[in-house]
Structure formats: C-alpha cells, structure tokens
Amino acid sequence: MFSTSSAYARPQQFANAYRHIGTETGVSGATPHRLVAMLFEGYMDAVVQARGGMRAGNVERKNRGIQRALRIVGEGLRENLDMKSGGRLAQDLNELYGYLELRLTQANIRNDEALLDECQRLVQPLQDAWAAIGDKVGGQSGRG
C-alpha cells in the first residue's frame, strides 16, 4: 500500500517540500519514509507551539505555529499526494488535509484550543500508522 503505488509522490518532492517548510537537519540522508515522518513530527510540533502561544496570549507565537502547520499540510503533505496512482487513499488524504487547513485557520481566527486538539487527533493515527510501517518500507521503495 505504501510502496511504489503509494498515495504520495516522488521522494525528492518531499525533500524539497521539507526544506521549503523550514528545516534542513536530517533531510539530505533521509529515506522517503523518514521524510514523511519528519513532516508529521513537524506538524505536531507546530500545533504544540500554536497551543502554547494561545495559552500564553502570545499572538505571534500562535500565528507562527499555525502557519507552519498549514505549510506542512499544504506544501508538504497535500501537495505531494500522487492523485493519479494513489487511488482512494490519496483522495481521502487530500480531503483530510483540506479539512485540516480549514480547522487550523478557524483555530487561529477564533483562538480556539479545542480546534487545535481536533487537528492533532486527526493526524495522530496517520503518524502512528506511518511509524508502524517504517520497518517494512524503510528505504526500499522510491515513494513515501
């Protein structure tokens, strides 16, 4: 399911997206699987940062976290879906990522921590599943 017929595009696109989103550490030697894992980790960290900003009343920190999470979803995960060969999985992920973008934006506008919680809960199973298949796909395939 996550090998050459994966819902995601080429590994180089992930590396480029991850660099563009704001980190270089570990990207150059990472497997395609690891690059996607790094995007999930970065997303979760960004949501935590946004939550901390909300709790502290620090609008700049909140905005920075939400904007980073939005970029990871849009430019890292969603933009790199392989809609042609990814089948139903790619379609479902595309819809989920669109929903996440909406809810993150609403969380920012409404200053609503519960919406951030929802966004984390929606991504956590994906992150967990991705980590669970790590040993099986590792660096063997050309797709994430």
Side-chain angles (χ1 to χ4, degrees):
M1 176 163 78
F2 290 100
S3 62
T4 56
S5 61
S6 170
Y8 288 103
R10 294 186 324 259
Q12 187 58 43
Q13 288 176 304
F14 282 114
N16 292 340
Y18 202 86
R19 281 187 195 102
H20 184 70
I21 290 165
T23 189
E24 290 284 335
T25 308
V27 171
S28 61
T31 65
H33 184 270
R34 180 67 188 131
L35 291 170
V36 175
M38 290 169 73
L39 289 170
F40 285 133
E41 291 165 10
Y43 170 85
M44 292 299 204
D45 289 344
V47 173
V48 167
Q49 178 186 11
R51 181 180 295 105
M54 277 185 189
R55 288 181 179 173
N58 185 329
V59 176
E60 181 181 340
R61 182 175 169 200
K62 175 194 76 166
N63 286 332
R64 190 171 48 246
I66 289 175
Q67 291 306 312
R68 182 169 174 237
L70 283 166
R71 289 182 71 195
I72 289 169
V73 170
E75 297 172 26
L77 296 168
R78 191 174 196 198
E79 188 175 285
N80 288 295
L81 288 173
D82 186 345
M83 298 304 292
K84 288 183 181 177
S85 61
R88 185 70 195 158
L89 177 59
Q91 292 172 15
D92 290 347
L93 288 171
N94 187 51
E95 290 174 15
L96 174 63
Y97 296 152
Y99 182 75
L100 286 170
E101 289 170 330
L102 171 69
R103 298 305 270 175
L104 286 166
T105 300
Q106 290 173 335
N108 198 13
I109 292 168
R110 298 176 186 167
N111 209 44
D112 189 339
E113 194 174 328
L115 293 175
L116 292 179
D117 293 341
E118 176 188 11
C119 290
Q120 273 191 306
R121 280 192 313 272
L122 290 169
V123 172
Q124 189 65 57
L126 294 176
Q127 184 179 24
D128 293 345
W130 197 255
I133 66 168
D135 292 338
K136 295 177 180 115
V137 296
Q140 65 180 303
S141 99
R143 296 197 180 231

